[in-house]
Amino acid sequence: MSEHIAYPSNINIVNSAFLIGMPILALTSLVYYSINFGIGWFEPVIFIGFYLASGLSITAGYHRLFSHRTHKAAWPLKLFYALFGAAAFQNSAIKWCSDHRRHHLKTDKEEDPYSVTRGFFWAHIGWVMVDEGEEIVEHVEDLQADRILAWQDRNIFLIGFLTGILLPALVGFAWIGGLHGFLGGLVYGGFVRVVVVHHATFLINSAAHTWGTQPYSTENTSRDSPMLSFFTFGEGYHNFHHTFQADYRNGHKWYHWDPSKWLIKSASWFGLTKDLHKIPAKVIESRRMKRTFEKKAKGTESQFQERFVDCMNQLRSGFNELIQRRKEYGIAKQTKKSQTKNDWKTIKQGHKIRIRESKTRIAQARTDFKMLVLSMNLDATNKAALA
Ligand SMILES: [Zn+2]
Ligand SMILES: [Zn+2]
């Protein structure tokens, strides 16, 4: 930790007791329960069920919907997020989003509530355990005007207790019955699950600002870590997220592990979400190319600039052409009914060929860029050999 930063001495007793006490409670109750009741199907299922409900309420709800407004959601889904977000015991959505919006506005600066420049521990959990003056709630007027979120903010601990502690115990009681069911729900769906969701979320502020790659930007400490995404519902693509925070996806490729994105997308098929915002693929890819070029160039920019600009232009015009040709195909589809079967077949074929041509142009731009990177690597190796 750098020397000008000192930890304040004003410990937040309630938060600290909760964050230290809960893992102790979870562990001791887990040992007690395991000795007396063992483990079967019921325990992992109740754990996973409540882990999904509370974890996704934080990532898809608190984070991507409420903090970043990357899409719109119907009130039943917002209510679900408010109920089960409370079960994650990470404060109300309004306070969570106030901290998070400040984190994005002032990343790594003094005003960033969980800046990793103050150390891994601070970013992970320290910032919750210490009070630094008055609690600031700002940049959330839009959320304060929302009736569901205002109600959740007023009753956050009661809601959290009911949905995060009592409900899993009752579900266990209804399922298995007796003390066995009640305790099983309480321990696995309540205590243990709260601790796991806590630290998975905290890792985004600590680990996703420490380990991983920076394919899109080096303007701040955020990093992409697919491994972290695995148990944080896709939130590990954090460099992408800090660069394109208006996008409802964090893992933008279809094969990126991002269950929050899949939830938001599939909810749209049932009318529960709409206006899902995506950053255009050409913007994402040219940003990545630019970043790769800067990383490789290291002072040789002028030598390779022309080829780089060519690649970028080819990529962008390829994408623009593809969008245009897809649009034209869409318009042509509307005339399908007025065509004979054979005529439509020919028209369709023509559009498909034109679309394929544009895709080939994009692929060519990618290959040219790969060749450029190889030339740059070779140049660097030659220079190193001569030195
Ligand atoms: Zn964010
Ligand atoms: Zn961050």
Side-chain angles (χ1 to χ4, degrees):
M1 204 188 316
S2 49
E3 56 187 68
H4 65 280
I5 293 156
Y7 272 87
S9 55
N10 36 336
I11 301 289
N12 182 317
I13 302 290
V14 176
N15 287 358
S16 303
F18 192 86
L19 288 174
I20 297 166
M22 194 49 110
I24 297 171
L25 181 65
L27 197 66
T28 47
S29 62
L30 191 64
V31 171
Y32 171 82
Y33 181 84
S34 304
I35 291 168
N36 288 282
F37 304 104
I39 186 167
W41 274 106
F42 149 73
E43 292 85 359
V45 169
I46 208 158
F47 170 82
I48 291 168
F50 278 85
Y51 182 61
L52 286 172
S54 57
L56 284 166
S57 292
I58 295 293
T59 60
Y62 274 34
H63 189 211
R64 301 192 200 180
L65 175 66
F66 300 136
S67 283
H68 292 292
R69 299 259 173 222
T70 63
H71 59 287
K72 292 194 180 94
W75 73 264
L77 190 59
K78 283 207 263 182
L79 181 63
F80 180 88
Y81 290 152
L83 291 173
F84 286 93
F89 291 96
Q90 297 181 18
N91 220 333
S92 68
I94 288 174
K95 298 209 172 78
W96 197 103
C97 296
S98 165
D99 288 333
H100 193 70
R101 285 178 180 177
R102 205 155 59 244
H103 169 65
H104 275 272
L105 277 170
K106 304 282 180 187
T107 315
D108 300 331
K109 301 200 174 77
E110 210 176 302
E111 299 95 325
D112 177 354
Y114 27 88
S115 169
V116 81
T117 58
R118 300 179 70 172
F120 188 95
F121 183 79
W122 174 267
H124 191 75
I125 201 169
W127 73 280
V128 193
M129 300 167 91
V130 168
D131 277 331
E132 290 190 304
E134 283 283 293
E135 186 181 30
I136 309 165
V137 180
E138 57 182 2
H139 312 304
V140 283
E141 292 77 8
D142 56 328
L143 306 177
Q144 284 164 326
D146 186 296
R147 279 168 60 190
I148 293 174
L149 298 187
W151 165 79
Q152 193 227 32
D153 188 55
R154 285 194 304 274
N155 303 289
I156 186 66
F157 295 111
L158 177 65
I159 302 170
F161 170 76
L162 293 175
T163 57
I165 303 292
L166 190 63
L167 184 64
L170 293 178
V171 170
F173 182 77
W175 186 350
I176 297 286
L179 189 66
H180 180 187
F182 188 87
L183 277 183
L186 185 68
V187 173
Y188 279 89
F191 303 153
V192 175
R193 187 264 320 159
V194 167
V195 175
V196 177
V197 173
H198 261 168
H199 288 274
T201 310
F202 297 162
L203 280 171
I204 302 305
N205 302 333
S206 54
H209 277 270
T210 307
W211 298 303
T213 56
Q214 296 191 298
Y216 303 99
S217 167
T218 47
E219 277 167 28
N220 56 60
T221 54
S222 64
R223 275 147 212 278
D224 271 12
S225 164
M227 203 176 72
L228 198 57
S229 276
F230 191 73
F231 48 96
T232 56
F233 305 109
E235 300 282 75
Y237 298 99
H238 206 55
N239 190 250
F240 177 88
H241 173 61
H242 267 269
T243 314
F244 304 112
Q245 53 174 298
D247 200 310
Y248 83 94
R249 308 157 304 173
N250 277 12
H252 69 98
K253 296 270 191 195
W254 66 267
Y255 53 83
H256 285 162
W257 181 265
D258 187 356
S260 308
K261 157 186 85 179
W262 296 325
L263 171 75
I264 295 165
K265 180 73 187 170
S266 43
S268 72
W269 302 331
F270 303 98
L272 285 168
T273 56
K274 61 175 184 179
D275 300 342
L276 276 55
H277 188 71
K278 267 188 193 176
I279 302 292
K282 70 168 178 183
V283 176
I284 296 171
E285 195 163 344
S286 33
R287 178 74 181 225
R288 198 183 171 116
M289 267 191 187
K290 188 168 174 276
R291 166 81 192 109
T292 309
F293 179 71
E294 285 165 357
K295 200 163 68 183
K296 294 279 171 192
K298 284 181 198 142
T300 59
E301 281 87 348
S302 54
Q303 190 185 336
F304 296 103
Q305 188 71 24
E306 210 174 306
R307 277 176 72 187
F308 172 64
V309 171
D310 276 351
C311 291
M312 289 282 261
N313 287 342
Q314 204 187 345
L315 183 86
R316 283 191 190 130
S317 56
F319 267 114
N320 288 341
E321 194 183 75
L322 179 67
I323 294 164
Q324 182 59 30
R325 288 181 173 181
R326 276 185 174 152
K327 216 181 271 171
E328 285 164 9
Y329 183 37
I331 294 166
K333 270 181 183 167
Q334 291 168 3
T335 66
K336 188 181 166 182
K337 276 184 190 151
S338 58
Q339 316 274 351
T340 66
K341 213 174 175 183
N342 270 348
D343 281 353
W344 172 246
K345 212 173 163 187
T346 318
I347 293 168
K348 191 173 147 185
Q349 204 82 30
H351 280 288
K352 291 224 158 154
I353 290 169
R354 279 158 59 78
I355 286 172
R356 215 173 302 140
E357 273 171 9
S358 303
K359 284 185 178 170
T360 310
R361 273 189 79 178
I362 296 170
Q364 186 60 48
R366 286 178 186 139
T367 310
D368 287 355
F369 185 68
K370 266 184 206 152
M371 298 306 284
L372 170 64
V373 170
L374 282 177
S375 309
M376 290 165 91
N377 283 343
L378 195 65
D379 182 68
T381 318
N382 287 342
K383 277 188 182 141
L386 288 171

